[in-house]
Amino acid sequence: MSKPVILQVGPYPEWDQVPLDVAFDVRRLFEANDKKAYLAEHGNDVRAIATRGELGADADMIAACPNAELISVYGVGYDAVDIEVARERNVRVTNTPDVLTGDVADLGVAMMLCLSRGMVGAETWARDGSWAEKGLYPLKRRVFGRKAGILGLGRIGYEVGKRLQGFGMDIAYTDLAPRDDASEWTFLSTPRELAEHADFFFVTLAASEKTRHIVNREIMDAIGPDGMIINISRASNLDEDALIEALQSGSLGSAALDVFEGEPALDPRFLALDNVLLQPHHSSGTVETRKAMGQLLRDNLSAHFAGQPLLTPVL
Ligand code: 8YV
């Protein structure tokens, strides 16, 4: 029996590639120089699209694969998949929730600590002789006991909150409704109130058209010159131009960012700032989590072609 044809949008680690190639007839879009021509040649054969969170599948890609039945996303975020077009064409969509939650929360908290305590600069200070030449490293700001705000108390936001509890922080959150299992934390109904509360403002909400630029200039001003934004969600949740201006002027204290508009390219203005911590979208990037994500991506594909229920459907 011939293997189902899969369109692979971006590379995976070898431990995923090998079993994917065994189970499916994989067409590697990412290796094609002319992607449009590649889709025109292979699109009709494709029965499922295997993609990554940040790469998704846009309307043109879905339309170029008229026989696709499933889009399997390696990532929890599926904002880069054109869900409306998938729905219209009866294409199912799966993602990889839960398996990455702990690692994403860990990195968000690590970014807060790293930037607040100036650890990147401190490393240079120790290495380049500044310690011996200039003396003590400049003083930084405390984390424990201060105020945290979590914008979006989903799986990841909740895990961030649990970690921050260990730092004795005064935790508030904003979501559509209060969560029963977060009764020790303060529910605030608007991002504006949350921004006024927070010294450390975590952006952990799933991105969509509705949340685009939800963190705007007004929110940044309310977080203020002593506050920090930590974004481990999607760049589109922040107005990046307003962010850069606020960081340049000092009206916002600092920002720790794992995601960027147009990534992997960065707005060069970020590179001139010393009040940012820049990370290359790797919050789920541990061996353990990426192996679990790859397994879940394949399990969804296999379930679909075996006529079994999808494990983690979003559509
Ligand atoms: C990426 C992510 O998928 O989970 C998500 O939504 O964006 C990430 O986990 C990961 O970087 C692999 O491309």
Side-chain angles (χ1 to χ4, degrees):
M1 214 175 74
S2 64
K3 300 190 274 190
V5 174
I6 303 288
L7 183 74
Q8 184 180 342
V9 180
Y12 299 123
E14 202 184 337
W15 59 63
D16 291 320
Q17 193 65 57
V18 171
L20 202 67
D21 288 337
V22 169
F24 303 103
D25 176 352
V26 179
R27 311 285 165 92
R28 301 184 192 203
L29 178 65
F30 59 98
E31 285 178 356
N33 290 327
D34 184 343
K35 304 219 172 351
K36 221 172 154 187
Y38 190 87
L39 279 173
E41 188 185 339
H42 298 272
N44 272 327
D45 301 332
V46 169
R47 293 187 59 202
I49 298 173
T51 186
R52 300 200 320 226
E54 74 280 29
L55 302 175
D58 64 15
D60 289 345
M61 186 185 294
I62 301 171
C65 304
N67 300 311
E69 298 153 27
L70 173 69
I71 300 169
S72 188
V73 180
Y74 176 85
V76 67
Y78 51 90
D79 51 302
V81 174
D82 195 319
I83 288 289
E84 277 323 304
V85 171
R87 197 191 310 274
E88 279 160 23
R89 292 177 168 264
N90 257 335
V91 180
R92 307 287 312 272
V93 179
T94 58
N95 65 347
T96 58
D98 300 319
V99 294
L100 48 66
T101 305
D103 274 336
V104 177
D106 277 359
L107 194 84
V109 173
M111 285 159 63
M112 168 187 70
L113 288 165
C114 179
L115 184 56
S116 196
R117 298 300 304 271
M119 289 175 69
V120 174
E123 157 85 7
T124 307
W125 195 265
R127 273 181 192 271
D128 73 358
S130 296
W131 190 7
E133 270 167 42
K134 302 178 194 163
L136 296 178
Y137 185 58
L139 301 183
K140 299 297 169 184
R141 292 303 307 274
R142 163 182 293 183
V143 169
F144 79 86
R146 292 179 72 201
K147 294 178 176 170
I150 304 172
L151 182 66
L153 203 69
R155 299 178 184 90
I156 293 169
Y158 189 71
E159 284 300 314
V160 167
K162 275 168 54 186
R163 284 156 175 72
L164 300 184
Q165 261 181 326
F167 296 108
M169 297 182 90
D170 172 357
I171 302 167
Y173 68 97
T174 299
D175 210 306
L176 299 177
R179 257 178 80 151
D180 292 344
D181 54 359
S183 56
E184 286 177 47
W185 308 339
T186 308
F187 172 75
L188 296 171
S189 49
T190 65
R192 169 77 205 214
E193 287 170 274
L194 190 73
E196 279 163 6
H197 163 88
D199 297 314
F200 299 98
F201 186 94
F202 284 84
V203 187
T204 52
L205 79 177
S208 69
E209 261 316 303
K210 285 195 195 124
T211 67
R212 187 175 164 71
H213 292 186
I214 187 169
V215 182
N216 56 21
R217 183 179 302 274
E218 184 199 335
I219 301 296
M220 293 170 199
D221 286 347
I223 297 168
D226 210 23
M228 180 192 295
I229 291 177
I230 301 104
N231 190 7
I232 45 172
S233 60
R234 284 288 187 267
S236 64
N237 284 331
L238 260 82
D239 179 341
E240 204 170 89
D241 273 327
L243 177 71
I244 291 171
E245 283 163 26
L247 290 164
Q248 284 170 336
S249 72
S251 64
L252 173 69
S254 58
L257 307 167
D258 188 44
V259 283
F260 301 86
E261 287 288 355
E263 61 185 52
L266 297 194
D267 187 313
R269 291 176 294 170
F270 276 125
L271 306 180
L273 291 168
D274 60 8
N275 50 352
V276 290
L277 176 69
L278 308 174
Q279 297 287 294
H281 195 158
H282 73 128
S283 61
S284 68
T286 67
V287 171
E288 295 88 343
T289 282
R290 289 285 166 85
K291 283 193 169 170
M293 287 165 64
Q295 185 67 55
L296 190 47
L297 169 115
R298 290 194 303 283
D299 287 349
N300 274 305
L301 288 165
S302 304
H304 174 77
F305 289 113
Q308 288 163 3
L310 298 173
L311 282 86
T312 46
V314 293
L315 183 67

